[in-house]
Amino acid sequence: MTKENKYDVVILGGGAAGLFCAFETAKKGYKVVVLEKSNKVGKKILMSGGGRCNFTNRNVYPHNFLSKNKHFSKSALSRYTSQDFIALVESHDIEYEERKHGQLFCINSAKDIVNMLLDECNSANVEIITNATPSNVKFNRIDGQYSLNTDIKEKNNNSTLKITSSALVIATGALSVPTLGGSGYGYDLAKQFNLDVIDLHAGLVPFMFSDHLKSLCENLSGVSHAVSVTCNNITFTEDMLFTHRGLSGPAILQISNYWSLGDEISINLFPDFDIHQHILNCKKDTPKQKLKSTISSLLPRAFGEQLELLLWFELADLPLGEWSNNQIESVCKKLHAWNVKPSSTEGYRTAEVTLFGIDTKHISSKTMEVIGQKGLYFVGEVLDVTGHLGGYNFQWAWSSAYAAASDL
C-alpha cells in the first residue's frame, strides 16, 4: 500500500541533531516529519555517558573540535551555545551535575534528555515515524521539491509512504556503533548530490595490540591509572584503562583522534609527579628496598608487577642501594615516556564518533545548507566536525541543528 504525503521539511534521522532540528523548525509553524530507521529514536543518546548522557560541556571552544576547516564550527557554536542548551534542560526541570573538565551529565538517566526532545517535538506537532527506511531520494529542479519513498515496517503490515517537501535535512549520524543505528547512508546521499566525503575513520575509540602488549593488557584488564598520552605533538591527561583487547579510558579515547596506523603513542605514567627524585630519595632512605616496592603506592599493584617484567626485569632483585644513578635515570625515562605502538583500533563497533565526513567546503557554516543546492541541509556527526570527549559532540549536534532550523 502506497500513500502520498507532503511536508514542509523532512528530517532523516531521529538522533540528537535530527530531533532538535525538528522541533526548532516546527515552532515556526512548518509541517515537519522525522524519519528514523530504528524502532525508536534517540538510541545513541540513551547509551551515552554510561546511561547518564554527557549532554554538553561548560566550556565549548572551536579548538575542542577537529575538522579540515578548523573555522567551520565557529558560527554555529556561537549562535547556539552550551548555556543555551543548559537553559533548555533547566526549563524541563532535569537534574544534572558537573563533573571534571566541565562535563555535564544527567543525574538520573539519559532518558531525561530523550524525553525532553520528544516533549518539545510533541509541543511543536512534529510527526515522528520509526522503522522507516527512506530510498529513491530525488530533487526536482523545476518546482524545487524533494521526493523520496519510505518503507515503513509495522506490526501487521508494511507500507510505503511517498513523501515530497521543499527542504530535506540529513541528520543520519555516521558509522560509529552500528548496533545503535550508525550507518553510512548520509554519506551516500552526499555523494548522490556530488559532495566530497573526506576519508572516514573511527574516533574516540580504544586501541588494540598484536605484540607482547596484548597479553600484558589481558593480564591488567580492568586496571586504570591517571596518565598523560602524547601522539603527533598532542597530549591529553586523563585516566587510562586496560582492557582484554588493549587500552581504553578517556586519555586513550581522546588521543585516538590524532593517531594514524603506524604511529607510536607515548605514555607518561607519572605526569604530575617527579618519579626520578622520589626513587633517588628512596635509594638514600631505604636502600634495601626493591624498585617495585618503592613505587607500589603510586601505581596499581598488578600494573607495577607487569612494568617490572617489562622495563627492569634484569634489575628486579637488586636493592635500590645497589642501583647506579644512570640505571635509575634510564628506568625513569621509560616511566615518563612508555612508548607503545597500537596495531589497530577497535573500529566503528565501539567508536563513539566517526572522524572526518562530508567536506565542509560544500556547506554554509551559518546555515548548514549545501552551497548551490537549495533546501538540502546536513547537520551533526555526518559532517567533517568531530568534538573531543566530554559533551562536545552533543553540543555540535544541538548547534548545527539550530543553525539549520534558523534558516528553514
Side-chain angles (χ1 to χ4, degrees):
M1 182 174 66
T2 301
K3 300 178 183 178
E4 291 191 17
N5 214 337
K6 180 172 176 57
Y7 295 89
D8 297 311
V9 180
V10 175
I11 296 176
L12 303 186
L19 293 175
F20 191 96
C21 188
F23 69 73
E24 282 291 339
T25 302
K27 284 178 182 178
K28 302 176 180 181
Y30 291 127
K31 185 179 181 183
V32 178
V33 64
V34 174
L35 303 179
E36 168 56 44
K37 69 172 186 176
S38 301
N39 61 346
K40 62 181 178 181
V41 298
K43 280 189 173 183
K44 198 169 182 181
I45 300 174
L46 293 171
M47 295 298 292
S48 66
R52 293 288 189 270
C53 185
N54 179 193
F55 55 82
T56 192
N57 195 292
R58 286 277 188 200
N59 309 301
V60 177
Y61 302 101
H63 69 253
N64 298 125
F65 297 84
L66 289 82
S67 175
K68 293 294 185 181
N69 179 356
K70 62 182 180 180
H71 300 292
F72 180 81
S73 65
K74 290 181 178 179
S75 177
L77 292 173
S78 64
R79 291 177 65 196
Y80 191 86
T81 68
S82 60
Q83 293 304 314
D84 292 321
F85 191 77
I86 291 168
L88 178 62
V89 168
E90 291 177 344
S91 73
H92 283 258
D93 297 321
I94 295 174
E95 294 183 331
Y96 64 91
E97 63 182 354
E98 183 173 343
R99 301 183 188 176
K100 61 182 179 180
H101 308 304
Q103 302 171 68
L104 300 183
F105 288 78
C106 296
I107 288 178
N108 296 314
S109 169
K111 290 180 181 179
D112 291 343
I113 298 298
V114 174
N115 289 337
M116 177 191 77
L117 297 174
L118 289 175
D119 287 345
E120 290 285 337
C121 284
N122 185 56
S123 297
N125 296 314
V126 173
E127 184 178 351
I128 297 174
I129 304 176
T130 56
N131 292 310
T133 304
S135 62
N136 201 32
V137 176
K138 294 181 179 179
F139 177 70
N140 188 330
R141 291 197 175 275
I142 296 175
D143 61 8
Q145 292 290 300
Y146 291 87
S147 64
L148 58 130
N149 293 329
T150 305
D151 294 323
I152 304 170
K153 294 181 180 179
E154 299 173 304
K155 285 186 178 181
N156 299 322
N157 65 299
N158 297 335
S159 61
T160 298
L161 179 63
K162 184 175 177 59
I163 290 176
T164 58
S165 72
S166 55
L168 181 64
V169 180
I170 313 303
T172 50
L175 297 170
S176 49
V177 198
T179 56
L180 298 180
S183 78
Y185 185 60
Y187 305 124
D188 294 338
L189 285 176
K191 292 174 183 177
Q192 179 183 322
F193 286 94
N194 299 314
L195 309 185
D196 295 327
V197 177
I198 299 172
D199 291 342
L200 306 171
H201 296 282
L204 297 180
V205 62
F207 287 132
M208 298 174 67
F209 296 88
S210 58
D211 57 11
H212 65 283
L213 290 178
K214 181 178 180 181
S215 59
L216 180 146
C217 292
E218 288 175 348
N219 293 336
L220 293 175
S221 182
V223 172
S224 65
H225 181 62
V227 299
S228 283
V229 184
T230 300
C231 183
N232 291 316
N233 299 315
I234 302 295
T235 300
F236 289 96
T237 302
E238 278 275 11
D239 286 348
M240 176 181 73
L241 173 70
F242 290 94
T243 73
H244 63 283
R245 294 187 183 91
L247 293 176
S248 187
I252 297 299
L253 298 184
Q254 295 278 37
I255 207 65
S256 72
N257 283 354
Y258 298 88
W259 177 85
S260 296
L261 187 63
D263 287 343
E264 275 192 340
I265 63 172
S266 182
I267 304 171
N268 183 348
L269 299 173
F270 299 98
D272 300 314
F273 187 75
D274 189 346
I275 188 64
H276 187 207
Q277 189 60 51
H278 172 72
I279 294 174
L280 289 176
N281 292 340
C282 290
K283 176 184 178 180
K284 177 182 177 181
D285 299 336
T286 55
K288 294 183 179 181
Q289 196 173 57
K290 309 283 180 58
L291 179 56
K292 184 175 70 175
S293 299
T294 298
I295 66 173
S296 62
S297 63
L298 306 173
L299 287 167
R301 182 183 59 81
F303 190 15
E305 292 173 352
Q306 292 293 320
L307 284 175
E308 179 181 75
L309 295 174
L310 189 67
L311 302 182
W312 66 90
F313 176 72
E314 295 180 354
L315 301 171
D317 294 326
L318 196 67
L320 269 182
E322 298 180 30
W323 282 53
S324 71
N325 287 349
N326 285 339
Q327 287 172 323
I328 291 174
E329 183 178 2
S330 176
V331 169
C332 287
K333 285 182 178 179
K334 295 174 183 177
L335 291 173
H336 279 303
W338 179 33
N339 296 324
V340 300
K341 183 182 287 187
S343 60
S344 64
T345 70
E346 289 192 9
Y348 294 115
R349 184 182 63 83
T350 59
E352 296 201 16
V353 295
T354 300
L355 282 170
F356 306 117
I358 296 169
D359 195 330
T360 57
K361 71 182 181 182
H362 301 294
I363 311 295
S364 165
S365 63
K366 293 182 179 180
T367 66
M368 302 298 128
E369 186 178 35
V370 175
I371 298 169
Q373 180 64 53
K374 183 66 176 174
L376 181 62
Y377 299 77
F378 287 86
V379 297
E381 191 182 349
V382 72
L383 290 167
D384 174 28
V385 178
T386 304
H388 289 167
L389 189 71
Y392 299 103
N393 288 294
F394 273 124
Q395 186 57 46
W396 174 245
W398 318 134
S399 296
S400 60
Y402 182 84
S406 298
D407 189 62
L408 285 162

